[in-house]
Amino acid sequence: MPKHFLMCRPEYFAVEYSINPWMRPEDGASRDLAVLQWERLKAAYEELGHRVSLIDPIDGLPDMVFAANGALVVDGRVYGARFAYPQRGPEGPAYLRWFAERGYPVHEPRHVNEGEGDFLALDEVVLAGTGFRTDVRAHQEAQEVLGRPVISLTLVDPRFYHLDTALFPLDGRNVAYYPQAFSLGSQEVLRRMFPDAVLATAEDAEVLGLNAVSDGTHVVMNAEASTLQLELKLRGYEVIPVDLSELRKAGGGPKCCTLEIRGDK
Ligand SMILES: NC(=[NH2+])NCCC[C@H](N)C(=O)O
């Protein structure tokens, strides 16, 4: 099944401030290299037959390339983002406008949440992260807006500040994750819900290997996560490795650059 993704070209990408432990403004980052790597990611999706729509980047919003944070879209309903840090604040309304202009019913959020950074939709439930960015009250709000059960999971390691840095859906029913990124209670929830999950090593997580996008057959993921790639291949997945090392300097990987539009217009 082809998917529909929304992406944002890293036209104004930079590491100018630090809102997560990956970001070191003193080291800088190359916009041109980020654009090149991002273009390859977009091409990888298109080669797999997925549809990619684009939102115009905005000058002064260097993190806008991380489209996953822009909203959560389920059944064509759009639950907007409300960013935790003022540096990214204007991105919320910008993404919401993109959807509103195209006729999607949009919901302006009351509570802080960073879209698909902290919400990952499966067939029956939505997994939701909290602890660093998304307010747990937004989990409740999303459940009401989308009419889907939302399962709250607590993140405890600042390097894995968004749910999508520690877990990704392999399909609508199973996930891969790095257990140590979660509180003990949340680890237990994950074990109960996903007895057949793929468990990632610290090394895989530390290269943002879990910030991956699976269509159920192919997994687009950071090339450096070698153990995880092997494990996925053993399970029958086709791995599409990509190099997003420049975007990782801002704390992002393939999934961060990708907002899935479910139930599109
Ligand atoms: N979905 C994601 N994990 N996005 C990565 C966002 C990176 C961005 N620099 C931030 O800290 O907000």
Side-chain angles (χ1 to χ4, degrees):
M1 269 292 273
K3 290 180 178 277
H4 184 187
F5 297 134
L6 179 60
M7 298 181 73
C8 179
R9 198 166 190 268
E11 205 63 52
Y12 304 105
F13 176 71
V15 178
E16 290 170 348
Y17 48 77
S18 182
I19 56 173
N20 70 54
W22 303 82
M23 300 177 87
R24 297 170 50 89
E26 62 278 17
D27 293 350
S30 158
R31 185 211 78 114
D32 291 352
L33 185 53
V35 170
L36 191 78
Q37 294 178 343
W38 177 91
E39 292 285 0
R40 291 202 190 116
L41 174 66
K42 177 171 172 283
Y45 290 141
E46 287 167 339
E47 275 160 35
L48 291 172
H50 301 308
R51 171 174 168 211
V52 176
S53 292
L54 297 176
I55 181 172
D56 287 335
I58 298 174
D59 194 359
L61 296 176
D63 272 334
M64 193 169 169
V65 56
F66 301 117
N69 304 136
L72 167 67
V73 187
V74 178
D75 299 328
R77 294 184 216 173
V78 182
Y79 176 53
R82 186 175 178 133
F83 283 81
Y85 291 101
Q87 290 94 330
R88 298 195 66 186
E91 291 183 48
Y95 277 93
L96 214 56
R97 207 174 316 119
W98 189 93
F99 285 103
E101 283 170 4
R102 282 157 186 81
Y104 288 84
V106 299
H107 179 91
E108 269 187 51
R110 263 159 54 84
H111 299 293
V112 168
N113 83 88
E114 299 199 346
E116 279 203 321
D118 273 321
F119 287 106
L120 295 169
L122 300 178
D123 286 348
E124 305 299 336
V125 299
V126 176
L127 302 179
T130 189
F132 296 102
R133 302 283 179 94
T134 295
D135 188 322
V136 72
R137 287 172 297 178
H139 296 182
Q140 199 64 44
E141 187 179 20
Q143 174 166 289
E144 290 305 313
V145 172
L146 305 171
R148 300 249 187 151
V150 173
I151 308 285
S152 292
L153 300 167
T154 301
L155 297 161
V156 295
D157 182 331
R159 294 171 304 166
F160 309 113
Y161 55 95
H162 275 145
L163 180 64
D164 74 356
T165 62
L167 180 149
F168 73 95
L170 290 163
D171 53 32
R173 314 196 157 269
N174 199 13
V175 301
Y177 67 100
Y178 174 53
Q180 288 82 351
F182 296 89
S183 67
L184 290 177
S186 296
Q187 288 183 34
E188 209 176 322
V189 170
L190 288 167
R191 274 200 302 276
R192 236 175 239 281
M193 289 186 75
F194 308 108
D196 298 323
V198 171
L199 302 184
T201 63
E203 291 72 27
D204 291 325
E206 282 160 8
V207 291
L208 289 181
L210 290 156
N211 195 251
V213 176
S214 172
D215 62 12
T217 307
H218 314 92
V219 182
V220 177
M221 62 184 286
N222 275 338
E224 299 89 342
S226 46
T227 310
L228 185 56
Q229 285 185 33
L230 213 61
E231 177 65 24
L232 291 169
K233 284 178 194 164
L234 286 174
R235 299 251 192 152
Y237 292 93
E238 190 182 323
V239 173
I240 320 286
V242 290
D243 175 10
L244 285 191
S245 49
E246 211 55 24
L247 291 152
R248 191 164 50 224
K249 294 179 180 170
K255 169 59 202 170
C256 298
C257 297
T258 314
L259 173 59
E260 185 172 345
I261 303 177
R262 297 180 193 79
D264 57 359
K265 301 256 167 268

